[in-house]
Amino acid sequence: MLDKLELFIVLAREGHFGRAAVECGISQPSLSAAIRQLEDQLGVVLVVRGTRYQGLTPEGQRVLEWAKRIVGDARTMREEMRAAKSGLSGHIRLAAIPTALAMIPRLTEPFQAKHPDVTFSVVSRTSLQVLSQLDNFEIDAGITYLDNEPLGRVTSVPLYAERYTLVTAEGTLYSDRDTVTWHEMENVRLCLLTPDMQNRRIINQHLEQAGVTVEPTLESNSMVVLLSHVSTGQWASIMPRNVAHSFGFAKEIRMIPIVEPEASHLVGLVATHREPFTPLVSALLHQARNLSTDDLD
């Protein structure tokens, strides 16, 4: 049943028998047969079927909650037994919002120094994707905003406060200033992250509070793309201070704090709330708690 529950979780996540079968590395008929067998074992219909997958029944939604709990517990048990036998090892899948990517080595480097048999994969995701992938067991932990939009049932560890700067080339508007205000951003030709990014939603909120409507002339989901356009001198951007510092700009690029207000938003590590955590996630949360907020700010 455990194998069938894992297949059921993937089917619910993908919403398509063909894609779920590919994800699981089996044929579509084998996946369909496994779901039928699970339905027979439980005595309820889990999937609304027609010519194609049409969603889960109410019973299927309830079974999905149980499946995630059972599969999560089973994975935790396996990891605990492996750690008890041979020490901490394995692979951690981590997703982070784009503005936090440059900070991840501050977490992964000391972790791997303590646990050299643990490997990482790191992907860039929106804040909503981070939470969705946590819920669907696609990642083990995420780095996202903690205080701006609902997180759901997660365990979180604050890492740093994100503060905002105008990043612009020397010789451009406001480049000779020590500070600028949110209201003054209406005069700047901006390139910003795409609207699906929470960082962009945060920036929009502060601009709206300042009574400013801004239409960026370039949008991207990549900080590297934004930075490369700022370096041309034809665009400026609003970025978290820690991101701008991490790229080591040449002297001709200025980072000017944005004030009135001097806004900040908390970023941290999140993991699905469960007791006990897997040994890997538990160790990662412990490492995050040991980080100095002042060092990361």
Side-chain angles (χ1 to χ4, degrees):
M1 180 177 283
L2 186 61
D3 290 341
K4 295 183 182 70
L5 290 175
E6 290 183 331
L7 295 176
F8 180 59
I9 291 171
V10 175
L11 175 62
R13 182 178 75 221
E14 296 295 328
H16 188 277
F17 274 95
R19 290 196 300 269
V22 171
E23 178 71 18
C24 296
I26 61 176
S27 67
Q28 185 170 330
S30 296
L31 175 61
S32 297
I35 300 302
R36 291 281 191 191
Q37 291 167 11
L38 181 60
E39 290 176 322
D40 291 342
Q41 285 179 282
L42 297 175
V44 294
V45 176
L46 303 176
V47 179
V48 180
R49 295 176 177 86
T51 55
R52 63 185 65 184
Y53 175 91
Q54 296 181 6
L56 301 181
T57 65
E59 294 82 4
Q61 292 287 356
R62 186 68 181 125
V63 169
L64 180 61
E65 294 176 15
W66 277 103
K68 290 178 178 179
R69 190 181 310 173
I70 292 167
V71 169
D73 286 345
R75 290 180 178 179
T76 300
M77 180 182 66
R78 292 192 197 107
E79 280 198 25
E80 278 198 10
M81 295 306 100
R82 184 173 69 240
K85 181 180 179 180
S86 56
L88 199 64
S89 63
H91 185 74
I92 295 177
R93 300 162 299 169
L94 189 63
I97 54 174
T99 59
L101 289 172
M103 310 305 296
I104 291 179
R106 307 264 184 107
L107 179 64
T108 55
E109 190 279 330
F111 185 93
Q112 283 199 314
K114 293 179 182 177
H115 310 290
D117 293 328
V118 176
T119 59
F120 282 88
S121 58
V122 179
V123 294
S124 175
R125 294 290 184 265
T126 68
S127 58
L128 294 178
Q129 289 172 332
V130 168
L131 298 178
S132 174
Q133 292 191 340
L134 268 181
D135 188 54
N136 288 320
F137 297 108
E138 295 174 271
I139 58 174
D140 301 298
I143 298 178
T144 187
Y145 295 100
L146 301 184
D147 61 357
N148 189 58
E149 295 179 357
L151 292 175
R153 196 166 181 267
V154 300
T155 295
S156 62
V157 179
L159 293 176
Y160 62 92
E162 188 176 84
R163 295 181 174 86
Y164 305 97
T165 63
L166 175 67
V167 182
T168 191
E170 289 280 4
T172 59
L173 183 66
Y174 303 139
S175 65
D176 60 343
R177 299 271 293 274
D178 293 327
T179 63
V180 292
T181 68
W182 288 97
H183 185 78
E184 289 173 319
M185 293 302 97
E186 67 179 344
N187 302 317
V188 180
R189 188 186 188 207
L190 290 171
C191 56
L192 298 172
L193 287 173
T194 50
D196 60 322
M197 298 292 178
Q198 192 173 166
N199 171 265
R200 174 64 182 281
R201 296 195 291 275
I202 288 171
I203 288 172
N204 286 348
Q205 288 170 10
H206 290 300
L207 291 170
E208 289 170 8
Q209 290 167 2
V212 175
T213 300
V214 168
E215 295 293 338
T217 58
L218 185 141
E219 298 174 325
S220 175
N221 63 358
S222 167
M223 299 300 294
V224 173
V225 170
L226 299 185
L227 292 167
S228 65
H229 281 79
V230 169
S231 67
T232 68
Q234 301 303 309
W235 282 269
S237 189
I238 299 172
M239 296 183 183
R241 185 175 65 190
N242 55 347
V243 173
H245 277 298
S246 70
F247 279 90
F249 284 133
K251 291 182 179 180
E252 58 267 18
I253 300 296
R254 291 214 59 212
M255 294 171 285
I256 306 164
I258 304 177
V259 298
E260 297 182 21
E262 188 174 348
S264 67
H265 292 272
L266 203 58
V267 175
L269 183 73
V270 294
T272 302
H273 181 76
R274 61 181 309 111
E275 289 292 343
F277 290 105
T278 68
L280 286 174
V281 171
S282 180
L284 188 65
L285 290 169
H286 179 73
Q287 181 64 52
R289 293 186 185 104
N290 286 340
L291 291 177
S292 166
T293 301
D294 290 338
D295 288 343
L296 284 175
D297 193 10

